Amino acid sequence: SAVISQKPSRDICQRGTSLTIQCQVDSQVTMMFWYRQQPGQSLTLIATANQGSEATYESGFVIDKFPISRPNLTFSTLTVSNMSPEDSSIYLCSVGGLPEYNEQFFGPGTRLTVL
Amino acid sequence: GESVGLHLPTLSVQEGDNSIINCAYSNSASDYFIWYKQESGKGPQFIIDIRSNMDKRQGQRVTVLLNKTVKHLSLQIAATQPGDSAVYFCAARAGDYKLSFGAGTTVTVRA
């Protein structure tokens, strides 16, 4: 299985500011994903981070709000821009799927609170 | 798109009893399913998966059953322990790489 770390593990931010979340994987992977988990809710896919190209965003998520970088096969960042209290969530990095894995694995998450 | 739902949002089980968590999915093209366990303050942890060409798969103390006819998935936990207390999610994938997640069932184990 892949081992995934995220930084920061949690943060409290002021409205209008931005936060960049880092995701590091212990092996090279083709597919990296960013999810949001709002309090008490299930997981919603924000985007798929593709190495060497722009991220692919799901309906309801846009690049201006959630810019993503994927500079290599072991690292990605997600920025939450111009934050509002509605952005308070857990943000999860995930890797998996073919060609490296059948399964999909998750990092520990970044717990974000926006005041 | 895929809709994945759990039948019960909460489940209380006596320690030592077996637990059954149920999940329904909508997309008949779904061909891969995963169960995750999420403990408080942690990311989802992979438990077990099953492909659509199977109807049963067993792991350590866990069994996943898949009924494609009624688009139903279940996770059975044998001899439930206090450490099994968590939120359990089912997820489905239909050919591409995207997982659709159910709402989650909170399992509480009574001593």
Side-chain angles (χ1 to χ4, degrees):
Chain A
S1 65
V3 178
I4 306 167
S5 59
Q6 287 184 234
K7 290 182 183 179
S9 59
R10 59 177 62 230
D11 208 341
I12 301 173
C13 300
Q14 295 298 319
R15 181 196 298 261
T17 62
S18 298
L19 176 72
T20 295
I21 302 167
Q22 299 179 7
C23 176
Q24 181 75 52
V25 189
D26 69 340
S27 59
Q28 292 187 339
V29 291
T30 302
M31 308 296 287
M32 292 182 78
F33 310 93
W34 287 98
Y35 285 81
R36 181 174 73 183
Q37 186 176 26
Q38 294 178 304
Q41 302 297 311
S42 187
L43 284 75
T44 301
L45 180 63
I46 297 172
T48 303
N50 307 306
Q51 196 266 334
S53 64
E54 276 197 4
T56 304
Y57 289 83
E58 297 301 304
S59 176
F61 298 96
V62 295
I63 187 171
D64 290 347
K65 176 67 176 177
F66 298 102
I68 288 171
S69 78
R70 179 83 197 271
N72 57 53
L73 292 175
T74 64
F75 187 79
S76 178
T77 67
L78 170 76
T79 299
V80 186
S81 302
N82 188 24
M83 289 184 284
S84 67
E86 292 71 35
D87 294 320
S88 297
S89 288
I90 300 171
Y91 292 86
L92 293 151
C93 175
S94 177
V95 305
L98 298 175
E100 294 87 9
Y101 302 103
N102 288 318
E103 310 92 327
Q104 191 165 326
F105 305 102
F106 284 84
T110 296
R111 188 178 298 269
L112 171 62
T113 301
V114 184
L115 303 178
Chain B
E2 173 76 85
S3 172
V4 181
L6 281 144
H7 291 186
L8 287 175
T10 62
L11 176 67
S12 179
V13 61
Q14 187 71 37
E15 181 178 358
D17 287 353
N18 296 335
S19 304
I20 299 176
I21 307 167
N22 296 300
C23 181
Y25 62 97
S26 64
N27 190 346
S28 57
S30 294
D31 60 1
Y32 180 66
F33 306 87
I34 305 179
W35 281 99
Y36 288 95
K37 172 186 180 184
Q38 187 175 28
E39 297 174 280
S40 181
K42 297 183 179 180
Q45 176 188 357
F46 174 91
I47 301 173
I48 192 168
D49 61 355
I50 189 168
R51 294 201 170 278
S52 58
N53 60 355
M54 303 172 70
D55 53 20
K56 180 179 180 179
R57 190 160 187 229
Q58 289 184 290
Q60 187 176 12
R61 283 202 305 119
V62 295
T63 301
V64 56
L65 299 178
L66 175 62
N67 186 330
K68 295 181 287 296
T69 302
V70 295
K71 296 199 278 293
H72 180 270
L73 187 70
S74 69
L75 177 70
Q76 300 177 5
I77 305 173
T80 310
Q81 303 169 359
D84 295 327
S85 293
V87 180
Y88 290 80
F89 294 97
C90 63
R93 190 166 69 200
D96 62 10
Y97 53 84
K98 298 179 189 177
L99 284 177
S100 296
F101 280 81
T105 291
T106 300
V107 173
T108 302
V109 181
R110 306 188 307 271

